[in-house]
Every structure is written in C-alpha cells, then in structure tokens.
Amino acid sequence: MTKKLSWFTALMLGCVAVVQAAPQTSGALNAPQPLPEVNALVDANAPLRDSQLVFNQVAPPPGSMTLRGTEPSSQIEFGVRSDEVVTRALLNLSYRPSPALIPTLSQLKVYLNDELVGLVTVTADQLGKENQTQIPIDPRFISDFNRVRLELVGHYANVCENPANSTIWLDIGKASKLDLTLQKLPLKNDLSHFPEPFFDTRDSRPLQLPMVFNAQPNLLQQRAAGILASWFGSKAQWRGQSFPVLYNQLPKEQHAVVFATNDHRPDFLKDLPPVEKPTVEMVNQPDNPYEKMLLILGRDDQDLLTAVEGIAQGQLLLRGDTSTIDSVKLLAARQAYDAPNWVRTDRRTTFAELTQYQNQLQGDGLQPNPISLTLNLPPDLFLVRARGIDMDLRYRYTSPIQQDGSRLAVHLNNQFMQDYPLTPKDTAGQQLMRIPLMQGLQDSNRQLTIPALRLGVVNQLRFNFDYANTFIGGTADGRCETVTAVGHHVVIDDTSSIDFSGYRHYIEMPSLGAFANAGFPYSRYADLAQTLVLVQPKPSNDEVSTLLNALGSIGAQTGYPALRVQMSDDWSKAKSADADMLMIGGIPPDLQDDTKIPLLADAARSWISMPARSNAVANVPISDSERAAESQTTLSSRGPMGAIVGFQSPFNDQRSVVALLADSPRGWELLNNALLDSGKRAAVFGSAAVIRESGVNSIRVGETYYVGHLPWWERLWNLLATHPVWLAICAVVVVILFALMAWRLMRMVSRRRLAELDDDE
C-alpha cells in the first residue's frame, strides 16, 4: 500500500510540474521573435547608408496604386548592389480602404519575392480613412533583384459576391516608401566581375563615377577618359551618368577610376611599381578598404588609350586583380545609323531585337499588365511624306469565354492607334498553332500601319490586352453561383517586326533637341568616327567633367563606346577636319559674331540675340521672318549660367557645331545637371538653350540649314508642303498647263480628222 501511495504521489507531482510549465512554454512561443542576425560575419565597423524608395518614384505611373477586385495586386522592384547587404528593411504604407469592405474579412497581403512577409487586417475604424502602418521585413528574404507585391483580399458581402464589383478597392498613396539600411561589404579585387563594383546593374540610381588625374589631363588622357566614360554610359543607359573629375585626390566614400603613367602619377600611387604594358588593376583605396580604385596604368599616355580600348573591346577577358592589354586592333569600321540601341533602318526589325529583359513580351492575370517596347529612331529619319510605318504584329492570348468586347489596343506615345477584337475559341475557326506547348492560346496575325507624324526620337509602343471579365454572384430566384476567376495569358510574338527601311535621312538644323536626346549629329556613327571634340589647352576639372558627361550621354543613347572620337585643342588644325565638332568651354574668336552664334557665355558677361517672335514649343514650325534676330542684348550678372549653342560649320555646309559653355563652376554644374536630367533635356531644342537656376529656356533664332540628302523633287515637295499658298498656285498652274496641253491635243486630233474628210471628198 505504501508503495502504491508513493507512485501516486510521484504521478501527481509530475502532472503539477507539467501544468505549471505549460503556460511558460506557451508564452515563450507567442512572444515576438527577434529578427535573425543576417550580417554576423560582416565587420561591425563597415559603413552604413540609408536608402528610401518612395512609391511616387519606383511604383508604376502615376506612383500610387489602386488595388481592385479584378486587379488585386501591384508591385515595386528594387535591386541591391553586390558590394552592399541590407541589414534593416521597413515598409511604410499609407493606404485608404473602401468604406464598403467588410472588416477583418478584408486584408492586405505583402509579399517579398513571393514570400508572405506581412499582413494588414482592415478594421472598421480604417474604412474610408487615410491610414499608416509599418511592416518590418526580414532582410534574409532580400536578394540581388527584389519584388515587393501588395495584394488585396477584398470582400463586400458574405454571400453572392461579384469580384468585379466597383466597391472593392484599396488605394496605396504616393507617400508610401520602403526604408532600407545597407551595409558595405568587403570585396575581393577580382576583375572577372567587372564592371562591378564601379557600375552595378542592380543599382537603379544614376551612375556617378569620379575620374582622377595627376593634374590637368592632356589630349590623349582626355580621349582615353572620354572613351571609358562613353563605355560606362553604354552600360548605364536609362539610369543616367555623371563623371566628376578630380586632380591628385580621391573622392570620399566612392569608387573611382584613376589614370596614371610611370612618370605622372597622383601622390597616393607614388609607391606603386612601374608597369611595362598597358595595365588595368583593381585595388583598395588607401584609407578605405570598402572603396575600390580602377587603375588605368601605362608607360605613357598612348598606353592609357590602349588600356581603355582593351576594356571597351575585351571586357569578357578581364580576370584576377590585374590584366595587361597586349594590343587592340579596330578592324571593320561601323556603318552609319547602326547604333545598337537604335531601330535598324536597313531592314525590318524584329521585336526580339528590341526587348531589354526576359519575358518582356508576356503578361498574365485577370487584366494582364500592358506590354511595352521602346523604339529609338535616328532623329534625321525623313518621314514627312511617309503614309505610315508597316508593322507585322503577331500575338497569342487565352480566349475569352464569349464574345464580350475583349480587345487588344495598340498605343504609340500614349496615343491610341488601333484595336483588335479578342475572339472566343469556338468562333475562331480552325487554326494551326505555331507553338505546340501553348495549346490554350489563340494565335493571330495583324498588319498595322503607324502614322509617321506621331513618331519622335524615343517612342513607346504599348499593347493592352483588355479582357471583359464576367462574374456571376447570384440569380433572380435567390440561387447563388460562385465563379472562380481564371487568369489570362498573353504574348506578343518576338517574330513580330516593324519596318523603317527605305527612308531617307534629312533634317533641319540646328536642332539641339536631336543633340540632347539622341546625341545627333555625332551619333550618326556609333563609334563617333566623324566627330571632333575641341577642348581648351588647359581645361579645368569642370570642363573635363562636362566632356566626359557629354560623351557618356552619347554612349548611353547609342549603346556603343566612342572608340574613334578625335580631339584637338588647336582651332587652326580643326578647320581642316571633315567632321562634326563638339566644343567644350569656349568658342574660337573668329566665330564669335552675331551671324553664327546666337548666344555666348563668357565669364559674367553675356549677349543674346532674340527672335522676332518667341516660341517655346519645340515641334511647332516657324517662318524665317520669325527666326530673324530682332534685338541683341548685352548684360552683366553675378548669377551662374550655362548654355548650349548649335550652328552650321563654317567649313562644310553638311557639318554641324555644338558648343557647351558656362560662366562659372556653378554654371558648369547647372549645365551638367541639365544634360543628366531627362526632364530638362526635353526642354532643350532650337539653336540655343540657356540654363539658369530657374531652369532651361530654349530659343529658335538665326538661319537654318539642312543635313542629309533629298532628290530635288522631294525637296521641292517638302518646300511647298510648308507654304500652302504657293502649293495652291502651283496646283492652279499645273491644271492650266494640263488643260492647255489637252486642248492642243484635241485640236490636233480634230484638224487631222477634218483633213481626212476633205481627202475622202
């Protein structure tokens, strides 16, 4: 009996211990878990930086999001550089839910790379009001390229809901943002990852890469730096790029490119052993192991040029911390208008050649997102008399359930062009599918003609697949039917093509808009084979930076480095060159007259010729009388100013000159910012553009000229097309002449018949 009592007592004590321990265990499980330490191996002293991704900059236009029942999700995308890691991520949402939503049943789900990382439950006190919430995101889920997707689960009724009901919505405000804290990573000196870390495709910010020289660079050094800047520009493309120039000093907390020869080196490279060949090397900066230097080394300046050409043409061969370039041979010369970023003008261009990323021509969802393509055209493509541009459009889509008005709409530069019905499968007839793996898709071919006058230098072609979705929520007899929405899949076939071949090249100049947005006329040859850059004998760092920014911008627009660009600091030698000229920092004295230059910035004094009638619109034609200079004003001012001036070369009527000018360091900064900002570049046109603190002002004044070739009959037609009165007079004259010729012909026929009758008698 005593033994049984002992066993019973032990059992009771064990149960009490378990009961007492259970609440503690449950509490430990429900307590908030701290985020894991993702950077335990990273140096605690590594530099940190904060980054804010505001929705009005990174979200699809217009910057806010409206989530609906048929379009319940939207997303933003961002990348993380290879030399950084995210240590903290916080999503700050500003949202307003529909007043018709049912609380608790309606939620907002937050996904990071398709991983659910947050959930916002809509409560009764939030309906119809502006709300803010913060959602911490585990940095472990953040990779190189990331996608934050917001998805609405919206309900407005407990039974018989229609997912397409207009009361299901939730707005995400433009003030929403993703706050990131990033920590620098120590990188190995390895050129096999080049151009990282100097340029990283994951970084959507404008590229800013300082270039360092021992002192004021000579012509060969400037040319080498210009080629390298254009190569980096061809990589940066839409991001934008700037290249600050420093003499004998390194930038703070930035990667940099350093040019040095054995005899002329910056002080921080004095201990570097001399080189025996053109050399490219990656090393740590002396005072900061987290920042790198790309050393362009050589025995002399010619070696620097060879090293840069080796980077531009042999990037795939770079490896290790040091590479030497034995030789670079430029073989076949490039042809005019063959820039990689431009649409082909010698043959039809397929859509596959225009895509910029994988799966760009596909979409899915209840309402698939628009499919967009960018068309970059040569500015001098003469399309005035063209009836239209032929486009062979091939597309596939999942068929609608019934004939309900679903359609494909084609837009060009936000202008509606054409639409095509999306037919259901049972009325489409028998079709042979080209791709057996896509049996559920309809296949169609369309021939579309794009109006030529709607085309510019940069064009956006957009395809909207608009499905008319029908959902059944209930019937008149009270019976409820539920239909599960099925997403659609749409594809623009990459064999679709557009044809810009057969058109002539002819443009009215000066046209600073063509220079600012397409680098024309220098970009006519992608390698700038017929371009001469005229620089100052002893340039300041601001002038060299403007040179690099200009060449980098042209490289971004063409997609190819300026391997054959020529440079000179002697105006007398430049006179004999058969090339388009780009002037940096000043205009030669013998060109500073009011017949050639409509604007001149020289120190704090400037003069400007104003047209008789000012027109602030770039594409509105004006007459010669309106272009004529009405007045000339000379003034002095302490305010900074930059200017871009275009005029005809005095030595060749088919060549052009563009001058980049400024009156102070701040003026150069304004000029460089204008070349970098796409909005300010759009305001540059005509023959002169003035850049001040208030913005960009452009004017069209002075004589115009034409570059390119048109046969005389096309030139005559183009001239008459802009003078309707003369066109009418010519038409009347032609009609009268034709009538006289017809009258003479009929009179001759009548006389011949009368003579034959007389002979018969």
Side-chain angles (χ1 to χ4, degrees):
M1 185 70 179
T2 305
K3 195 171 184 179
K4 291 182 179 180
L5 289 175
S6 300
W7 278 104
F8 181 78
T9 303
L11 179 63
M12 291 295 296
L13 290 174
C15 291
V16 171
V18 170
V19 171
Q20 291 180 347
Q24 296 179 0
T25 305
S26 176
L29 291 174
N30 293 333
Q33 299 294 319
L35 292 179
E37 182 65 36
V38 298
N39 294 320
L41 300 179
V42 178
D43 186 0
N45 297 322
L48 299 174
R49 75 174 179 92
D50 294 325
S51 175
Q52 285 190 347
L53 304 178
V54 186
F55 275 35
N56 65 352
Q57 297 175 350
V58 298
S64 58
M65 300 178 180
T66 300
L67 309 181
R68 301 182 179 90
T70 55
E71 299 178 62
S73 64
S74 187
Q75 65 187 30
I76 64 171
E77 298 176 348
F78 68 97
V80 178
R81 291 176 56 90
S82 61
D83 58 349
E84 292 180 331
V85 65
V86 177
T87 60
R88 185 185 69 91
L90 184 64
L91 181 62
N92 294 277
L93 288 180
S94 174
Y95 65 98
R96 186 188 298 269
S98 167
L101 295 180
I102 299 179
T104 307
L105 292 182
S106 300
Q107 302 130 23
L108 177 64
K109 302 164 72 176
V110 181
Y111 291 87
L112 174 66
N113 300 330
D114 298 323
E115 182 80 24
L116 183 64
V117 295
L119 181 66
V120 178
T121 302
V122 178
T123 60
D125 58 339
Q126 295 177 350
L127 299 179
K129 300 177 182 178
E130 187 75 20
N131 303 277
Q132 282 79 32
T133 188
Q134 290 185 333
I135 302 175
I137 296 177
D138 192 338
R140 292 177 301 175
F141 297 135
I142 297 178
S143 59
D144 293 342
F145 292 97
N146 305 276
R147 182 175 63 254
V148 176
R149 178 163 54 91
L150 305 175
E151 182 177 319
L152 171 65
V153 179
H155 296 281
Y156 69 96
N158 290 316
V159 294
C160 294
E161 277 190 323
N162 182 0
N165 195 296
S166 60
T167 60
I168 303 178
W169 58 265
L170 185 144
D171 280 354
I172 307 294
K174 295 181 180 180
S176 301
K177 60 183 179 179
L178 178 63
D179 290 332
L180 301 174
T181 299
L182 301 106
Q183 185 180 35
K184 275 284 187 181
L185 290 175
L187 295 181
K188 182 181 178 182
N189 294 324
D190 187 0
L191 291 171
S192 63
H193 299 286
F194 188 78
E196 297 175 7
F198 306 97
F199 166 71
D200 198 319
T201 56
R202 307 171 185 86
D203 195 346
S204 61
R205 298 174 299 171
L207 170 65
Q208 187 177 65
L209 182 60
M211 294 199 177
V212 181
F213 300 89
N214 173 55
Q216 291 176 325
N218 56 33
L219 283 178
L220 277 178
Q221 292 177 353
Q222 291 183 68
R223 184 170 179 234
I227 293 174
L228 188 60
S230 66
W231 183 82
F232 273 109
S234 69
K235 301 298 181 183
Q237 295 193 355
W238 51 269
R239 298 171 180 81
Q241 60 290 310
S242 63
F243 304 95
V245 172
L246 300 173
Y247 294 158
N248 200 31
Q249 62 175 334
L250 286 171
K252 294 182 178 179
E253 298 182 356
Q254 278 185 296
H255 304 300
V257 178
V258 182
F259 293 85
T261 63
N262 288 342
D263 297 330
H264 300 90
R265 294 183 173 184
D267 292 339
F268 53 83
L269 293 181
K270 292 297 184 183
D271 297 332
L272 192 70
V275 297
E276 298 180 355
K277 290 183 178 180
T279 303
V280 179
E281 185 176 356
M282 182 190 295
V283 298
N284 295 338
Q285 292 189 13
D287 300 327
N288 191 342
Y290 295 95
E291 304 295 345
K292 300 295 183 180
M293 294 187 295
L294 180 66
L295 303 183
I296 311 297
L297 306 173
R299 295 161 297 181
D300 51 24
D301 297 331
Q302 186 62 45
D303 277 1
L304 300 183
L305 186 60
T306 302
V308 167
E309 291 174 344
I311 292 176
Q313 297 295 86
Q315 171 203 348
L316 298 179
L317 300 178
L318 298 178
R319 57 195 183 276
D321 61 347
T322 304
S323 293
T324 59
I325 290 84
D326 296 326
S327 65
V328 178
K329 295 180 180 179
L330 301 180
L331 302 177
R334 297 192 69 92
Q335 302 298 313
Y337 306 105
D338 69 345
N341 286 352
W342 287 2
V343 175
R344 298 293 296 262
T345 57
D346 58 341
R347 59 169 175 79
R348 296 187 73 93
T349 304
T350 63
F351 283 12
E353 299 175 79
L354 302 176
T355 54
Q356 298 173 314
Y357 54 89
Q358 192 175 9
N359 297 328
Q360 182 177 347
L361 300 179
Q362 301 184 25
D364 53 63
L366 293 177
Q367 288 292 344
N369 291 326
I371 297 174
S372 298
L373 276 178
T374 300
L375 305 177
N376 296 317
L377 298 178
D380 63 343
L381 203 62
F382 189 72
L383 302 173
V384 173
R385 293 190 59 196
R387 294 183 178 180
I389 307 299
D390 292 332
M391 183 171 68
D392 184 15
L393 180 60
R394 305 167 185 264
Y395 56 94
R396 301 187 297 276
Y397 58 94
T398 51
S399 60
I401 299 176
Q402 58 187 1
Q403 191 72 38
D404 52 11
S406 299
R407 64 180 186 176
L408 163 63
V410 182
H411 299 258
L412 176 66
N413 297 333
N414 294 323
Q415 299 290 325
F416 173 73
M417 291 288 103
Q418 185 62 276
D419 70 328
Y420 303 104
L422 303 180
T423 58
K425 189 173 184 179
D426 55 357
T427 62
Q430 297 296 323
Q431 294 189 10
L432 176 64
M433 301 304 295
R434 288 183 172 83
I435 304 178
L437 295 180
M438 309 186 79
Q439 291 287 346
L441 298 182
Q442 296 283 20
D443 196 351
S444 300
N445 293 351
R446 296 290 181 181
Q447 193 75 23
L448 176 62
T449 300
I450 298 176
L453 292 179
R454 296 182 183 271
L455 291 164
V457 175
V458 181
N459 306 275
Q460 196 75 20
L461 194 60
R462 189 175 77 247
F463 304 93
N464 284 24
F465 287 85
D466 299 320
Y467 280 90
N469 296 297
T470 302
F471 301 94
I472 301 176
T475 59
D477 58 1
R479 183 167 54 90
C480 185
E481 298 181 2
T482 301
V483 176
T484 302
V486 178
H488 299 285
H489 303 276
V490 296
V491 178
I492 299 293
D493 198 283
D494 57 11
T495 61
S496 302
S497 60
I498 190 167
D499 190 5
F500 285 95
S501 62
Y503 295 98
R504 304 185 190 276
H505 295 272
Y506 192 71
I507 185 175
E508 183 183 23
M509 299 286 282
S511 176
L512 292 183
F515 167 74
N517 298 297
F520 190 83
Y522 314 108
S523 56
R524 182 190 292 112
Y525 289 85
D527 56 1
L528 273 58
Q530 298 186 10
T531 296
L532 174 65
V533 181
L534 189 66
V535 298
Q536 300 301 306
K538 295 183 179 180
S540 65
N541 56 344
D542 293 318
E543 293 173 348
V544 179
S545 180
T546 301
L547 164 68
L548 303 184
N549 291 344
L551 294 181
S553 177
I554 296 174
Q557 291 153 355
T558 61
Y560 194 81
L563 291 172
R564 298 181 187 270
V565 67
Q566 299 298 317
M567 291 191 181
S568 176
D569 56 5
D570 188 348
W571 171 246
S572 61
K573 294 181 181 179
K575 293 180 180 180
S576 59
D578 182 17
D580 297 296
M581 283 183 281
L582 177 64
M583 297 182 177
I584 308 292
I587 297 176
D590 55 346
L591 287 185
Q592 297 177 5
D593 60 84
D594 56 354
T595 62
K596 292 293 184 185
I597 313 299
L599 181 144
L600 174 66
D602 182 14
R605 299 183 63 242
S606 58
W607 59 265
I608 183 171
S609 297
M610 292 300 295
R613 184 172 182 176
S614 179
N615 195 320
V617 182
N619 55 1
V620 175
I622 61 176
S623 63
D624 293 338
S625 61
E626 292 173 333
R627 285 181 175 273
E630 180 188 45
S631 63
Q632 186 181 95
T633 303
T634 304
L635 56 87
S636 299
S637 175
R638 294 183 179 179
M641 183 180 73
I644 307 175
V645 183
F647 55 95
Q648 187 178 21
S649 172
F651 315 115
N652 190 324
D653 58 4
Q654 284 291 299
R655 296 298 184 182
S656 302
V657 181
V658 174
L660 305 179
L661 312 168
D663 62 356
S664 62
R666 175 56 182 165
W668 287 112
E669 184 178 351
L670 292 175
L671 176 61
N672 287 321
N673 290 340
L675 293 175
L676 180 64
D677 191 310
S678 59
K680 292 180 179 178
R681 285 203 310 269
V684 176
F685 63 88
S687 55
V690 181
I691 301 104
R692 298 173 295 171
E693 297 283 1
S694 58
V696 178
N697 299 96
S698 299
I699 56 176
R700 292 186 285 176
V701 61
E703 299 178 356
T704 61
Y705 60 99
Y706 290 87
V707 172
H709 171 71
L710 279 183
W712 67 267
W713 60 88
E714 291 192 21
R715 288 202 303 270
L716 178 61
W717 179 259
N718 184 47
L719 180 63
L720 293 177
T722 57
H723 296 80
V725 175
W726 283 105
L727 181 61
I729 293 174
C730 290
V732 171
V733 171
V734 170
V735 170
I736 294 174
L737 291 176
F738 181 78
L740 289 174
M741 292 175 61
W743 176 76
R744 295 275 302 194
L745 180 62
M746 295 299 294
R747 190 173 179 182
M748 291 173 61
V749 172
S750 178
R751 286 178 178 177
R752 183 175 298 176
R753 292 179 61 187
L754 291 174
E756 291 176 353
L757 290 175
D758 291 342
D759 293 340
D760 291 341
E761 292 178 355

